[in-house]
Amino acid sequence: MRHALAGIVGIGIGLGLAACSINVDYTGTLYQCAPDGTCADGYACIDQRCVPTEPQPAKCSSAVTTGDEHTCAIRVDGTAWCWGRNTFGQLGDGTTADRTLPVQVAATGLPGFTAIAGGTDHTCALGKDHTVWCWGRNARGQLGNNAISDNHTPVPVLGVTTATAITAGNLHSCALLTAGGLVCWGDNQAGQLGRGGSQFSSTPSTVDGISGVTAVSAGGDSTCAVDGSHAMWCWGDNDVGQLADGTQMPRSTPTRTKIADAVGVAVSATFSCAVTSAGAVLCAGRNDVGQLGTTVASPSPVPVPVALTAKAVAITAGARFACATDDQRRVWCWGENGNSELGDGTSFNHAIPALTSYAGIADVSGGGGHLCTRSTDGGISCSGYNGHGELGDGLRTTEGTPHTVPGVTGATTIAAGGAHSCATLAGKTVSCWGENDSGQVGDGSWLRRTRPVAVQGVTGATQVVTGSAHSCALIEDGTVRCWGRNGRGELGDGSNETHGLARAVAGLSGVTQIGAGDDHSCALTGGVVQCWGANNNGVLGDGTREDQLAPVMVKNLMPGALAIAVGNIHNCAIAVDHAVWCWGYNGSGQLGDGTFTTPALGAVVMVKTLSGIDEIAAHGDFTCAHSMVDGSVSCWGAGGDGELGYGGYTSRGTPQKVSGLSNVAAVITGGIHACARRTDGAVACWGASYTGQIGDGTYGSKPAPATIPELTGVRDLACGDEHTCAVLGDGSVSCWGDGRAGELGNGISARRTPVAPLLPCP
């Protein structure tokens, strides 16, 4: 996409400058629409921003499917193409490298394909000769080739030569045969193969007790099918009633459900839906985000009617959402929509079906957090999460390894917040980028900034800190200025009015250090700690639960403080004797006193077993400290994602030594991950890396430190909720992890509207 739009950008600058407030770049995030809503040629006004118009979808596909975090299509020439996550070779190109653009599935002897099905981490395709080929993860035999080793290119499923349709779940696959027979293979721990028992099978086995099958769907660890009399049968996992039989009992053989007039079925990991011959949709199972299409929030093992006002003809189920195609080829979706996967231009969940922007649709496929459609003329469009390139437009929204932030030079310190980042520069100014819905970027606007912009009204800055949606800078004269969200008083200016421009914190002088939490802030002045903003669980330390619009002194903190660390809803300080004291919420053990009980209001507790501490860090619901005695790092608090670094995944109320660290100069914590900067400028990180925030190129979690080989000479480091940034020796900045809000500064952010995968046509 970058190359394709280069010419358009040049034309837009030359012909339409009058329509824009400042200069243009290809991302369209650096300028606003004109007052009349117009933009330069080649751009459209969306959310008050001029953004490049999308290329038209390539109209050469005959099928599309979505896996958990990958997408595949069949072209009209019978070749298969895939893009997105490729950890297990599920893209079939012979590698395990993620692809942000479509790549051809590579193997010799392929028959030419007519259909394709994406599982969680594997893919299967139906040949023109009615054979089935699969590739990707094979830990439970889901590729059907009598093996359990992964394959990065297609292998034939043994013994299947009369298949007419295919489907793939988490770790199992199924094929519908001529005359209505059904075979499945792969994992069977929940009975999802329908053969009885729980023994997996790496070759296809017949599903007993059902015949004349006309439709089948596998999702998670469950399978459902429709027979010739329109009865729906299900088997497999049923822990939340997803089998629609009125119970929550697992079934290892087909069990007739309470849906008797089905013509189509779609199964997710935790719910299932069916389309009836009358065009109604019924769903059963989990409903925590509206995936049953009804305002009743509770789960239901009995099918409930979806509040759809159109006549449905087809259904698909994503991980936590569902979509129906109506008889006018429009698409209606409901359920989770935090990544704008439902394609309606919003990012909030829908308990009632919402009409999307998709029209003229022949096929719809729901994935883990994205949705793809194929139009009747063969064009593919996708919406939703693009962390691994699953939208296929070349603009992934996560980075698993460090990437330079363009335009930042002379950086001295760095800060990473909820979904934005800020840096102080050599001239003691501040630049920020990322989410800006509350003005936290500080340029006076509420426009998301995917490239760094200068914070207005801040000079002489020596430190910058970032909370969830606000930022503060320490000025060289000892004062503090803050900007962004202020609904709880986190700016400390005496009001609760949100500001996109910096405001002076009331009554502060002589400040030597500042910190920002979720929606509160603190400052250190002459050994005294003062805090302001939200006061949940007494996090401000003033003995109350009342929010404070201006700084108040933390009580009972004796002796004086040398340094502070501000967490989500807890704070800590190093005392003059180098012991650590903490206050606020303690439900995860983040106060370190050996309990998981929040102390009385105004109480400050000492962290057990720690001494000789010269640095502390707290961003999320855990705390880490660096010992000046032996250079070790210890962490305590929430540990479910490995963020404590001791090798396990359990929360701890007392400090645990991080394993394998030496020569540590600084420790930094994020929302659910942490990093250490060594004395030689190397960096090691641990904890959650679901968006790549650890920086070693992997996605998942690590309970012990992993060194980032690309980073050397790091001078400063910051961890946000799900991203990380570093200042390098030359004053440049590198960031990695989640970039959906532009917090990586690379010009890319999540899109609320569908995009076209750049599928090459024959």
Side-chain angles (χ1 to χ4, degrees):
M1 176 181 280
R2 291 187 179 98
H3 300 296
L5 291 175
I8 294 176
V9 173
I11 293 172
I13 294 174
L15 298 181
L17 258 179
C20 302
S21 59
I22 58 176
N23 289 334
V24 178
D25 77 344
Y26 79 89
T27 66
T29 60
L30 295 186
Y31 63 99
Q32 302 177 20
C33 306
D36 63 356
T38 60
C39 293
D41 291 344
Y43 294 83
C45 184
I46 299 177
D47 293 336
Q48 304 303 313
R49 296 177 296 165
C50 294
V51 299
T53 53
E54 287 295 322
Q56 291 297 311
K59 298 178 180 179
C60 59
S61 65
S62 59
V64 67
T65 188
T66 52
D68 186 40
E69 294 179 307
H70 73 288
T71 308
C72 295
I74 303 298
R75 285 195 327 192
V76 291
D77 61 357
T79 58
W81 295 71
C82 297
W83 55 95
R85 189 168 187 172
N86 198 26
T87 307
F88 299 96
Q90 57 262 52
L91 303 189
D93 67 340
T95 77
T96 56
D98 291 357
R99 304 293 187 179
T100 63
L101 296 171
V103 293
Q104 186 172 354
V105 175
T108 58
L110 295 179
F113 296 119
T114 60
I116 195 161
T120 297
D121 296 312
H122 74 290
T123 311
C124 294
L126 175 63
K128 293 179 180 179
D129 59 358
H130 300 289
T131 60
V132 177
W133 298 67
C134 297
W135 57 93
R137 190 178 185 187
N138 198 28
R140 301 292 289 178
Q142 59 263 48
L143 302 190
N145 64 334
N146 198 28
I148 55 172
S149 57
D150 299 347
N151 281 89
H152 304 157
T153 56
V155 294
V157 175
L158 297 180
V160 176
T161 58
T162 61
T164 59
I166 53 174
T167 185
N170 179 21
L171 297 169
H172 74 294
S173 314
C174 298
L176 176 60
L177 309 180
T178 55
L182 186 63
V183 293
C184 295
W185 59 95
D187 191 25
N188 196 36
Q189 289 185 357
Q192 58 264 51
L193 298 189
R195 54 184 286 179
S198 59
Q199 179 65 38
F200 80 92
S201 176
S202 59
T203 57
S205 60
T206 301
V207 177
D208 296 322
I210 184 172
S211 60
V213 175
T214 59
V216 62
S217 177
D221 298 324
S222 307
T223 314
C224 293
V226 177
D227 68 15
S229 64
H230 301 299
M232 188 171 111
W233 301 72
C234 293
W235 56 97
D237 192 14
N238 196 27
D239 59 335
V240 288
Q242 60 263 51
L243 299 189
D245 65 352
T247 77
Q248 291 178 272
M249 297 172 55
R251 307 288 188 177
S252 62
T253 56
T255 300
R256 189 162 182 163
T257 73
K258 296 184 177 295
I259 299 176
D261 189 27
V263 293
V265 61
V267 181
S268 178
T270 59
F271 70 100
S272 62
C273 296
V275 177
T276 71
S277 59
V281 177
L282 299 123
C283 297
R286 180 166 289 168
N287 196 35
D288 56 317
V289 290
Q291 53 267 62
L292 299 190
T294 173
T295 55
V296 178
S298 58
S300 176
V302 176
V304 297
V306 173
L308 186 65
T309 57
K311 182 179 180 180
V313 296
I315 189 76
T316 187
R320 287 158 60 85
F321 66 93
C323 297
T325 306
D326 68 16
D327 57 357
Q328 299 179 51
R329 294 297 175 186
R330 302 174 300 177
V331 177
W332 300 74
C333 294
W334 57 95
E336 187 172 61
N337 194 33
N339 289 298
S340 298
E341 52 262 68
L342 302 191
D344 68 337
T346 73
S347 58
F348 52 84
N349 299 341
H350 293 288
I352 299 297
L355 182 63
T356 73
S357 60
Y358 293 114
I361 299 304
D363 300 315
V364 182
S365 182
H370 71 296
L371 172 74
C372 289
T373 66
R374 187 180 67 87
S375 60
T376 53
D377 59 7
I380 296 175
S381 293
C382 298
S383 53
Y385 186 62
N386 199 24
H388 296 274
E390 47 266 76
L391 301 191
D393 64 347
L395 301 175
R396 65 181 294 164
T397 54
T398 72
E399 293 290 352
T401 56
H403 284 67
T404 300
V405 178
V408 177
T409 58
T412 55
T413 70
I414 191 75
H420 71 293
S421 311
C422 294
T424 59
L425 307 180
K428 297 185 179 180
T429 58
V430 177
S431 286
C432 296
W433 56 94
E435 188 59 82
N436 196 31
D437 55 355
S438 297
Q440 58 264 48
V441 167
D443 67 342
S445 79
W446 270 257
L447 300 174
R448 178 180 289 176
R449 300 301 191 183
T450 65
R451 302 276 194 183
V453 295
V455 175
Q456 302 298 310
V458 173
T459 58
T462 60
Q463 182 194 2
V464 63
V465 296
T466 48
S468 176
H470 75 288
S471 312
C472 296
L474 174 59
I475 310 303
E476 57 189 350
D477 64 2
T479 61
V480 178
R481 298 181 70 82
C482 298
W483 57 95
R485 188 173 65 196
N486 197 31
R488 306 288 298 274
E490 46 264 66
L491 303 190
D493 66 343
S495 78
N496 57 6
E497 297 176 1
T498 294
H499 294 282
L501 294 173
R503 310 269 291 185
V505 176
L508 280 185
S509 62
V511 176
T512 56
Q513 186 191 356
I514 54 175
D518 184 18
D519 45 15
H520 75 286
S521 312
C522 295
L524 177 62
T525 305
V528 174
V529 180
Q530 299 184 68
C531 299
W532 58 95
N535 201 13
N536 301 19
N537 297 282
V539 68
L540 301 187
D542 66 340
T544 77
R545 289 192 178 91
E546 297 177 3
D547 294 354
Q548 299 294 337
L549 307 184
V552 294
M553 187 176 70
V554 176
K555 297 180 179 180
N556 303 319
L557 186 60
M558 295 295 291
L562 296 175
I564 57 173
V566 179
N568 182 12
I569 44 179
H570 80 289
N571 303 312
C572 295
I574 301 175
V576 293
D577 60 358
H578 295 282
V580 176
W581 296 77
C582 299
W583 62 98
Y585 184 65
N586 195 35
S588 298
Q590 57 263 58
L591 301 191
D593 66 343
T595 76
F596 291 83
T597 302
T598 299
L601 288 176
V604 177
V605 299
M606 187 172 71
V607 177
K608 291 186 174 181
T609 72
L610 276 189
S611 61
I613 301 302
D614 62 354
E615 185 185 17
I616 49 174
H619 179 97
D621 293 324
F622 69 107
T623 315
C624 293
H626 175 258
S627 170
M628 64 182 182
V629 177
D630 59 7
S632 65
V633 172
S634 297
C635 298
W636 59 96
D641 293 286
E643 56 263 61
L644 301 187
Y646 68 88
Y649 292 94
T650 304
S651 299
R652 298 294 178 87
T654 55
Q656 309 293 308
K657 279 197 175 183
V658 177
S659 60
L661 281 183
S662 60
N663 301 317
V664 174
V667 61
I668 305 94
T669 57
I672 47 179
H673 74 293
C675 296
R677 178 172 58 87
R678 293 191 170 101
T679 53
D680 61 358
V683 172
C685 298
W686 60 94
S689 194
Y690 307 119
T691 60
Q693 61 262 51
I694 283 181
D696 66 346
T698 65
Y699 293 81
S701 61
K702 280 187 168 58
T707 298
I708 304 174
E710 291 89 345
L711 285 180
T712 58
V714 172
R715 297 193 321 209
D716 196 28
L717 194 63
C719 296
D721 277 5
E722 296 186 67
H723 73 290
T724 313
C725 293
V727 176
L728 306 185
D730 61 359
S732 64
V733 171
S734 287
C735 293
W736 58 97
D738 192 6
R740 285 173 290 180
E743 55 265 61
L744 302 187
N746 59 359
I748 297 171
S749 66
R751 300 287 297 274
R752 287 190 175 180
T753 52
V755 301
L758 301 183
L759 178 68
C761 284

